[in-house]
Amino acid sequence: MSDLPAAQAPRLLSLIPPMTQLNVPYPSTAYLTGFLRSRGIAASQADLALALLLELFSPDGLRQIEQRVQAVPMKKRSASLHCFIENFERYLATVTPAVAFLQGRDPSIGHRICGRQFLPEGPRFAALDNYVDDDNGDPLAWAFGSLGVQDRARHLATLYLDDLADVLRDAVDSRFEFVRYAESLARSQPTFEPLARALAAAPTLVDSTLEKLTLDAVDRSNPTIVLLSVPFPGSVYAAFRMAQAIKAKYPAIVTVLGGGWVNTELRQLKEARVFDYFDYVTLDDGERPLLALLDHLAGQRPRLNLVRTYARVDGQVRYFNSSEPDVPFAEVGTPTWDGLPLDRYLSLLDMLNPMHRLWSDGRWNKLTVAHGCYWKKCSFCDVSLDYIGRYDGAPAALLVDRIETIIAETGQTGFHFVDEAAPPKALKALADELHKRNRAISWWGNIRFEKSFTPELCNQLADSGCIAVSGGLEVASDRLLKLMQKGVSVDQVARVTRAFSEAGILVHAYLMYGFPTQTVQDTVDALEYVRQLFAEGCIQSGFFHRFACTVHSPVGLNPGDYGIKLKPLPPISFASNDVEFFDPTGVDHDRLGKALNKALYNYMHGIGLDEDVRAWFDQRVPKPRVGRNFIARALQAGH
Ligand code: SF4
C-alpha cells in the first residue's frame, strides 16, 4: 500500500471513468473538487468518458477502428461493419463536423445534415422507418414538426454516432456501448473473477486508448492521489483499467475508489485483489472519508480511525470506520466544473421521449437542493443507504449563492436538481429567494407527487424557472401504492400532475411493473389509469421500469411482508445489489411489459388515447376495473 511522506502536500485528481453521460459531466468530481478546494486542498478533475469518445470518434480513431474492421472476415461482418467499410471515406470526412455540430460549435452544418445526403446512413437510420410519415412522406416531421432544423440534424447526427458505436462494438470490443462499458462484469457480480479475467486480458483498442488518456491526465496534473468515482456498474471495468495503468507507471500514487456503485454494491467487500488496483475504497459521501484519509496519509491519524474505508492489511480486506459525523450539506461547498471542457460535451438527441431529451440534450448544471430523501419510505427504494436515508437540507439563500457562483463560472443558467425527491418546502423557499434576487434561471428535477404541490405552488415554481418535473407514480394502483408506502394515491397524483401541467411544466411519470403480488388485472388497471392521465393532460411523458428487488430495500430486507421469497444469493466477496425472488402470482411480467411500453410510446405521441387498453396486449387480458372517467372525476372533485 502507498502512503505519502508526511511533509508532502497532497494534490488530488478526480477522474470520471467511461462510460457515463456525454451531454454534461457526471457531477461527482465537480462536487468533490469544489469541496476539496473550499478546504484549501489542491484538487483537479478530468472526464475520461468524454475524452475517450472524442478520441475514438475522430479521423485518427476511425482509421484505427477501420484496421480492426478489415481484420474481421467478410462473412462475419455485421450490417454496421459493411456500411462502415463501404462509406469509410465519407465517415472520415464527416466525423469532425458531426461531432462539432453535436457540441454546438458548428450549427451551420445542421442544414447539410438535414438534407440527408451528407452523413452516411447505417442500420441505425432504419429507426426512422418506425416514425409515422406526414402528408409529404417525411418521418421527421412527426417528431420535430416542419421546422426545427437543429433538432432534426441533432437526431440524425446522433443516429450517425450510434452507428459508429455499433461498429466499435462489432469489430473492436463487444462490451462497448454509449452509456456503459462492460457493465455485466460489475452489476451484482458476487465474485471478482470475471472482472479479474477481463483485466488480465490483452487490452482492446478502447482499453489502450483509455490507458493513454489516463496517463496523459495524470501527467498533466501530477497528483499524489487519484480518486476514481464510479457511479454505475457500466463504469467499473474502465475504472479498474485506469487504476491498473496508473499503478503500473506510478506505483507511488495513492488510488481511491468511491462513488454510487461502490456505495450500493460493495458493502460486503472481501476481495483482496481489488487492492492490487486501489489502495482504499470508501463508502457513501466522500467528503468525510477523504478528509480522514488525507490526515492518515499525512501521518496525523492512525489507520484505525479512517472513516467508512476499506484497505488491505496483511492480505486481508479490513473495514475501518471511526464514526464521525458527515460534513453537513450546508458546508460541502459549491461544485466547480473548472478543468472540464464544457464546450466539448455532446447534445445528443436519440430518444423522442421529451423527458429523456432533457437528460441527454443540453447543458444543465447539476446541483442538489438537499442531501437524501425527506420521505425515505418507499419499499422498493434503497432507503437503508446513506444517499437516500440521510436527509439534510440547506437554507435557500445558500442554495441561491451556489446557483449564482455556478452561473458565474459556467455562463449557463440551466439547472438540473438531481435530488432523489426535492422537498416542496425547500423548492418554495428557493423560488422565493430567486424572486427576491430577481434571478432568472431554468430548472427541472425529481419530486414526489404530493398534496403540498398546490396549483399556487406549481405556478410559483413555474415563475421561478421550473420547466419540468419527474416523479414516481410506479404502479398506478391504490392497493400497490399502499404496499409500496409511496404515500400517494392515484387521484392525488392526477390532481398534482394536472396542476403542474396547467402551470406549463412538463410532467414525466416513473412507472413500474412486476411489483410483488402484482396481478395481470392490476397491470391492466394501471395502464388504464395511465391512459386517462395522458388523455386528461396530466402527464406528457413516462417510462416503465421493471421492478428489481435490491438487498438494501425494505422489500429485499423483509420479503415476507410483500408476499415473496428471495432466491438464495451465492456467497458474496465482491458486488451485490439485485436479488431474484419467487412471486406466487406467477405472472409473465416480461410479456406484459412489452405491451406497456408500446402503449406508453404511443400515448406520448398522442396516439391510441381513446382505444381500449386491452388492444396493446398480445394475449387475452381482463377488462379494466377502472371507470373510464375515473381521472376526469378525480380532477373535478379536486376543484
Ligand atoms: S423512491 Fe423516491 S420518494 Fe421514495 S424513498 Fe426513494 S427517493 Fe424517496
Side-chain angles (χ1 to χ4, degrees):
M1 180 192 311
S2 318
D3 280 346
L4 289 173
Q8 194 176 352
R11 291 180 304 278
L12 283 86
L13 170 63
S14 305
L15 296 175
I16 304 173
M19 292 307 291
T20 55
Q21 64 206 16
L22 297 166
N23 63 319
V24 279
Y26 191 78
S28 52
T29 65
Y31 292 154
L32 272 180
T33 307
F35 168 70
L36 291 165
R37 288 184 183 175
S38 74
R39 301 283 170 128
I41 298 164
S44 55
Q45 57 188 328
D47 181 349
L48 295 196
L50 178 71
L52 177 70
L53 197 95
L54 296 181
E55 186 88 7
L56 290 168
F57 292 171
S58 68
D60 276 351
L62 292 194
R63 283 190 196 96
Q64 298 202 52
I65 293 171
E66 193 247 359
Q67 287 172 13
R68 309 302 194 280
V69 177
Q70 294 293 7
V72 178
M74 197 63 98
K75 272 198 201 147
K76 295 205 167 152
R77 288 187 192 169
S78 64
S80 306
L81 299 190
H82 280 299
C83 174
F84 181 70
I85 290 297
E86 276 163 30
N87 296 286
F88 181 57
E89 289 303 320
R90 283 183 59 215
Y91 275 109
L92 272 188
T94 50
V95 71
T96 304
V99 166
F101 173 75
L102 287 169
Q103 289 171 327
R105 294 187 300 117
D106 188 6
S108 51
I109 200 77
H111 294 277
R112 285 200 72 190
I113 293 176
C114 280
R116 311 244 341 236
Q117 302 297 320
F118 179 60
L119 299 178
E121 299 195 349
R124 289 289 188 138
F125 284 75
L128 298 180
D129 298 341
N130 297 329
Y131 301 169
V132 185
D133 286 358
D134 74 349
D135 295 345
N136 301 320
D138 176 6
L140 288 168
W142 168 71
F144 301 110
S146 53
L147 293 171
V149 167
Q150 294 292 312
D151 278 359
R152 285 163 173 249
R154 263 221 298 280
H155 186 52
L156 295 167
T158 300
L159 294 175
Y160 165 90
L161 283 199
D162 285 339
D163 270 329
L164 287 177
D166 291 346
V167 171
L168 206 56
R169 182 198 61 206
D170 293 352
V172 175
D173 193 326
S174 59
R175 305 163 303 183
F176 183 85
E177 286 176 70
F178 249 142
V179 289
R180 54 183 79 89
Y181 182 35
E183 181 184 63
S184 64
L185 297 173
R187 178 179 285 281
S188 304
Q189 266 294 348
T191 81
F192 189 61
E193 213 40 56
L195 191 52
R197 273 199 302 273
L199 290 164
T204 66
L205 174 64
V206 178
D207 296 330
S208 54
T209 308
L210 178 60
E211 284 168 17
K212 177 185 147 303
L213 291 168
T214 305
L215 295 177
D216 287 351
V218 168
D219 290 341
R220 272 197 307 274
S221 31
N222 187 26
T224 54
I225 301 170
V226 172
L227 311 174
L228 278 137
S229 175
V230 283
F232 315 116
S235 52
V236 173
Y237 166 73
F240 276 79
R241 271 282 180 197
M242 290 159 69
Q244 187 180 47
I246 295 168
K247 282 290 173 199
K249 186 154 179 214
Y250 301 110
I253 291 181
V254 176
T255 51
V256 185
L257 179 68
W261 172 80
V262 176
N263 303 344
T264 311
E265 300 223 14
L266 286 197
R267 305 201 81 94
Q268 301 178 59
L269 179 64
K270 295 183 196 70
E271 175 57 71
R273 284 176 291 174
V274 166
F275 298 87
D276 293 344
Y277 305 83
F278 293 98
D279 298 299
Y280 301 96
V281 177
T282 67
L283 289 184
D284 300 331
D285 283 8
E287 288 85 357
R288 180 62 69 200
L290 268 177
L291 292 181
L293 181 60
L294 290 175
D295 281 353
H296 168 63
L297 295 173
Q300 291 162 359
R301 176 188 280 253
R303 183 167 54 200
L304 216 56
N305 289 355
L306 287 172
V307 177
R308 295 194 304 267
T309 300
Y310 293 105
R312 181 165 59 189
V313 181
D314 300 329
Q316 301 290 317
V317 180
R318 296 265 313 273
Y319 183 59
F320 300 96
N321 187 13
S322 87
S323 24
E324 288 175 33
D326 272 295
V327 177
F329 181 64
E331 291 168 27
V332 293
T334 305
T336 175
W337 283 266
D338 179 44
L340 297 176
L342 292 180
D343 61 341
R344 292 291 185 273
Y345 285 84
L346 304 161
S347 269
L348 301 175
L349 216 182
D350 50 355
M351 293 273 208
L352 298 178
N353 172 321
M355 197 71 183
H356 285 166
R357 198 177 148 165
L358 281 181
W359 274 311
S360 65
D361 180 14
R363 306 212 167 87
W364 303 96
N365 299 307
K366 299 204 179 222
L367 193 67
T368 42
V369 173
H371 180 282
C373 172
Y374 67 101
W375 175 253
K376 54 186 166 192
K377 286 189 195 158
C378 303
S379 60
F380 54 84
C381 179
D382 285 350
V383 292
S384 67
L385 296 182
D386 180 80
Y387 80 100
I388 303 280
R390 184 169 60 82
Y391 179 69
D392 183 14
L398 182 71
L399 287 175
V400 180
D401 286 348
R402 286 181 185 166
I403 286 173
E404 293 188 329
T405 308
I406 292 169
I407 293 173
E409 181 188 296
T410 65
Q412 307 278 341
T413 57
F415 285 80
H416 176 191
F417 296 137
V418 291
D419 297 74
E420 301 297 326
K425 252 196 196 155
L427 290 177
K428 176 163 184 359
L430 186 75
D432 287 339
E433 186 66 23
L434 287 165
H435 180 71
K436 202 168 103 195
R437 298 197 201 180
N438 200 18
R439 169 59 77 176
I441 64 167
S442 56
W443 63 269
W444 56 287
N446 289 336
I447 53 147
R448 290 178 62 243
F449 293 131
E450 64 163 83
K451 286 203 276 287
S452 16
F453 287 109
T454 57
E456 295 71 37
L457 179 54
C458 292
N459 282 322
Q460 189 190 352
L461 296 181
D463 283 344
S464 79
C466 179
I467 54 163
V469 290
S470 52
L473 169 56
E474 321 304 348
V475 185
S477 147
D478 284 339
R479 175 182 81 81
L480 290 168
L481 285 168
K482 211 163 174 194
L483 188 61
M484 287 175 187
Q485 295 230 48
K486 192 73 208 168
V488 297
S489 59
V490 177
D491 54 356
Q492 177 186 324
V493 170
R495 284 192 287 272
V496 172
T497 52
R498 177 72 164 256
F500 275 111
S501 297
E502 285 184 345
I505 296 170
L506 174 80
V507 182
H508 173 91
Y510 291 109
L511 302 163
M512 184 189 279
Y513 63 99
F515 194 75
T517 73
Q518 183 172 349
T519 61
V520 176
Q521 180 74 60
D522 291 327
T523 302
V524 175
D525 292 352
L527 185 58
E528 174 60 17
Y529 282 127
V530 169
R531 179 191 73 75
Q532 294 185 27
L533 287 167
F534 271 97
E536 292 296 329
C538 298
I539 59 179
Q540 295 78 41
S541 173
F543 192 79
F544 268 110
H545 302 257
R546 170 85 195 251
F547 165 76
C549 183
T550 72
V551 291
H552 310 293
S553 66
V555 178
L557 293 168
N558 307 298
D561 295 353
Y562 301 88
I564 57 166
K565 267 199 191 135
L566 301 187
K567 294 192 184 170
L569 284 168
I572 289 161
S573 55
F574 187 52
S576 119
N577 191 29
D578 293 348
V579 51
E580 291 185 46
F581 60 93
F582 298 104
D583 185 338
T585 49
V587 173
D588 181 354
H589 292 294
D590 285 339
R591 192 165 169 191
L592 295 174
K594 284 190 193 128
L596 296 176
N597 279 307
K598 195 157 73 178
L600 193 67
Y601 185 80
N602 281 279
Y603 292 165
M604 281 192 287
H605 293 104
I607 299 170
L609 286 170
D610 294 329
E611 268 179 46
D612 187 325
V613 291
R614 285 174 291 178
W616 301 106
F617 294 88
D618 65 357
Q619 58 187 310
R620 274 180 74 88
V621 293
K623 193 166 171 243
R625 290 172 305 190
V626 178
R628 264 190 89 76
N629 297 314
F630 178 92
I631 297 290
R633 274 206 282 273
L635 292 171
Q636 269 162 17
H639 276 295

